[in-house]
Amino acid sequence: MIATTRMRLTLVAALLATVAGAVVAQGIRVRTGPITVNPRITVNPKLDFSSMHFDDDRPGPDSAQVSALLTSLSSTDATVCEIAVDNIGNSWGPSPASEIGSLRDRSAADRATRAVYTGRVRDAGAIRALGPALGSENPCVRRGAARLLGHSHEAAALALLRAGLRSATPQVRESAALGLGMADDHESIDALVAALRDQDPYVSRMAAYALGEIEDERAIPALVRELGSDQAATQKAAIWALGEIEHSSAVRPLLPLLKNPDAETRVLTARALGEIEDASATAALGDALGDRELAVQRAAARALGEIEDASAVPALLRALGSDDAGLRGDVVRALGEIEDPRAVDGLLRTLRDPLPHIRAASARALGEIEDPRAGAPLAAALSDEDRNVREAALHALGDLDELTAAPPALINLLKDRDPEIRQQAAHALGEIGDVAAVPALAAAFRDENIEVRRAVVRAIGEIEGAGATETLAAAMKDSDPEIRREAARALGERN
């Protein structure tokens, strides 16, 4: 009995291993008892622990392991259970550094058990064991079963989920819809569309969610009908799903919801319109920048940035004067994504914003617009007290269109204390291509940092002139083969 309990706890502990860091990061306190790893656990010798990402060819858990996991999930703390279930079907997996960062008493058995759950459930007995769990009284277990079946992609697993959608029990129908969405099962579109009309609001909401996950345009008419649902949760799920499908036919039905009395509905609508990226929503989203709720304003600004329609620039420039830093940042980024020169004057103002992250975002946006009028202000920003602002300005200067004269402040950065800054300065000078920068670049070729010297040679290779050619010829004798190759390539292009 003790050994069985330990086996079950081992399974859930293994699944939790990937999300333990997330628990700590969120400050979640969970009371659990000690978890003991059974050293006698049987592991599949074919498992490769070097890359524990989800893999269609990796053996998944068998019936005993699935049953043990479900039992463990049902008996553990609800928060721990939810975190563990959230990890099912995700492709996060450990990085190569995970082993290095492991504690000394993390056993091979623990790693092996975890690896089992990175594979899809293919074992027929395991799939059968998951069927009853779809109707468990424990909501976390139901979700776990749905996600395991949805991640399986086996015909038997999909058949179980489709049958569950016809169950007389609402909880089973809801769980089945979740699983079908995770399975990305296009063959179940009609059944999920029918489930949108389910009398249980939780089932209809989950059906809308599943249709959004599948992203099949055939579901659009049914989802549009649900925009008028008297069930707020289903309506919101339909809004989200239409955004996920990203088809322009949903824009017109969505637009009226930007004026819905519920702020969350307006936020979801703005986000969905941004996902669809159709310019016919620009005017309405521009009006939403004046919404009484800040969250709606920010969602509208981000959506306009995704749509990238230049007609949104005037409305965004008006919002650029907001007292809220979050909205100003969203507007700045949107203007950068739209890349319209009319935004330059406004972005030059926010380049002097009191907050450094707004100044940095403004510099990046100016670089995206590539207007040479930003040259002098960006050069001045190279002296900003904030390192992120200086870096953003440095990159932006290299991106400016028709900027042919390298600002002295940029050339001076070749002497910066930070080698990364020196490297980035060389890159920007190469983009500008000013022959006046060649002497400074030639001097920087003596830099002790190899990455800086490589960047210098690449930059000089972009600049025409006798001085540049002489430096490239000298670089042909460098001890670093990459520098020699880069110099040879540049010289070859000049002949």
Side-chain angles (χ1 to χ4, degrees):
M1 181 67 178
I2 294 175
T4 301
T5 302
R6 287 179 176 175
M7 171 70 171
R8 291 170 178 168
L9 290 171
T10 296
L11 291 169
V12 74
L15 188 56
L16 285 168
T18 57
V19 292
V23 177
V24 174
Q26 296 297 322
I28 299 173
R29 299 181 187 178
V30 181
R31 290 180 303 209
T32 59
I35 297 177
T36 304
V37 174
N38 184 350
R40 296 190 297 275
I41 186 171
T42 301
V43 297
N44 191 322
K46 296 181 181 180
L47 292 177
D48 172 18
F49 303 120
S50 63
S51 178
M52 295 187 192
H53 293 282
F54 287 102
D55 188 333
D56 286 347
D57 296 326
R58 190 182 303 282
D62 59 24
S63 58
Q65 290 165 325
V66 164
S67 296
L69 174 63
L70 293 173
T71 301
S72 297
L73 291 176
S74 67
S75 60
T76 193
D77 179 277
T79 302
V80 174
C81 183
E82 289 291 338
I83 294 171
V85 168
D86 281 342
N87 196 50
I88 295 173
N90 285 316
S91 56
W92 299 337
S95 70
S98 295
E99 186 64 29
I100 300 171
S102 295
L103 296 177
R104 70 183 75 183
D105 45 6
R106 183 178 180 227
S107 71
D110 190 25
R111 295 195 300 274
T113 304
R114 173 188 172 180
V116 167
Y117 287 93
T118 66
R120 301 186 188 278
V121 180
R122 290 186 172 83
D123 181 81
I127 292 173
R128 286 194 298 271
L130 289 167
L134 283 175
S136 170
E137 293 182 359
N138 185 317
C140 182
V141 173
R142 289 202 305 274
R143 269 200 337 123
R147 290 177 69 87
L148 284 167
L149 286 168
H151 182 58
S152 170
H153 293 284
E154 291 290 302
L158 293 174
L160 264 179
L161 291 169
R162 291 170 187 159
L165 207 55
R166 300 189 297 271
S167 170
T169 306
Q171 286 85 348
V172 177
R173 300 198 300 275
E174 180 187 22
S175 302
L178 171 62
L180 290 170
M182 187 171 183
D184 194 17
D185 183 29
H186 291 255
E187 299 301 317
S188 297
I189 292 292
D190 290 342
L192 287 167
V193 165
L196 285 173
R197 300 189 295 273
D198 197 285
Q199 292 184 347
D200 187 286
Y202 296 99
V203 176
S204 60
R205 178 188 66 175
M206 192 61 76
Y209 167 81
L211 290 168
E213 286 288 288
I214 297 172
E215 301 180 15
D216 192 309
E217 295 174 10
R218 291 177 294 166
I220 291 176
L223 288 167
V224 166
R225 286 194 296 271
E226 294 306 316
L227 296 180
S229 172
D230 56 1
Q231 295 293 335
T234 301
Q235 180 193 54
K236 291 174 181 177
I239 293 170
W240 174 85
L242 289 168
E244 293 298 298
I245 296 173
E246 300 179 8
H247 195 276
S248 59
S249 64
V251 172
R252 185 181 293 275
L254 282 168
L255 289 178
L257 293 173
L258 283 175
K259 299 183 182 299
N260 190 280
D262 178 65
E264 184 181 359
T265 299
R266 300 198 301 277
V267 168
L268 283 169
T269 302
R271 289 176 180 170
L273 291 168
E275 292 289 333
I276 296 172
E277 298 182 10
D278 190 287
S280 63
T282 298
L285 286 167
D287 292 341
L289 288 171
D291 193 277
R292 61 185 178 275
E293 294 290 339
L294 179 61
V296 179
Q297 297 172 32
R298 295 193 61 179
R302 290 191 290 268
L304 289 168
E306 293 182 55
I307 295 172
E308 299 181 12
D309 180 7
S311 67
V313 169
L316 286 166
L317 286 174
R318 288 192 294 272
L320 201 56
S322 171
D323 292 334
D324 183 79
L327 178 57
R328 289 203 307 278
D330 290 332
V331 170
V332 165
R333 285 184 284 274
L335 289 170
E337 290 167 354
I338 295 172
E339 300 180 10
D340 190 291
R342 290 176 296 169
V344 169
D345 290 340
L347 291 170
L348 291 178
R349 289 193 297 272
T350 53
L351 190 59
R352 301 187 298 272
D353 195 275
L355 298 176
H357 74 275
I358 300 293
R359 299 198 298 274
S362 300
R364 287 189 288 270
L366 288 165
E368 290 172 348
I369 295 174
E370 302 179 2
D371 192 301
R373 288 177 294 163
L378 285 170
L382 294 174
S383 302
D384 195 279
E385 61 185 14
D386 185 86
R387 187 182 191 277
N388 291 329
V389 177
R390 296 196 300 274
E391 282 191 298
L394 194 161
H395 285 292
L397 281 167
D399 292 335
L400 293 188
D401 191 27
E402 299 178 4
L403 181 65
T404 57
L410 175 57
I411 295 175
N412 288 338
L413 287 181
L414 291 171
K415 302 176 183 178
D416 194 90
R417 291 179 300 176
D418 187 335
E420 187 175 344
I421 294 292
R422 299 198 299 273
Q423 179 183 349
Q424 293 171 1
H427 172 77
L429 290 168
E431 291 291 315
I432 295 171
D434 185 0
V435 68
V438 170
L441 284 166
F445 185 62
R446 297 190 292 270
D447 197 293
E448 62 184 15
N449 185 284
I450 186 65
E451 296 298 334
V452 174
R453 295 210 312 279
R454 290 172 178 171
V456 165
V457 170
R458 286 191 289 269
I460 292 176
E462 300 297 323
I463 302 174
E464 297 293 335
T469 302
E470 291 173 3
T471 304
L472 289 171
M476 289 289 294
K477 303 175 183 178
D478 195 272
S479 59
D480 180 60
E482 184 173 332
I483 288 179
R484 296 198 301 271
R485 284 194 298 269
E486 189 64 37
R489 181 196 62 77
L491 287 170
E493 291 177 353
R494 289 165 192 246
N495 297 329

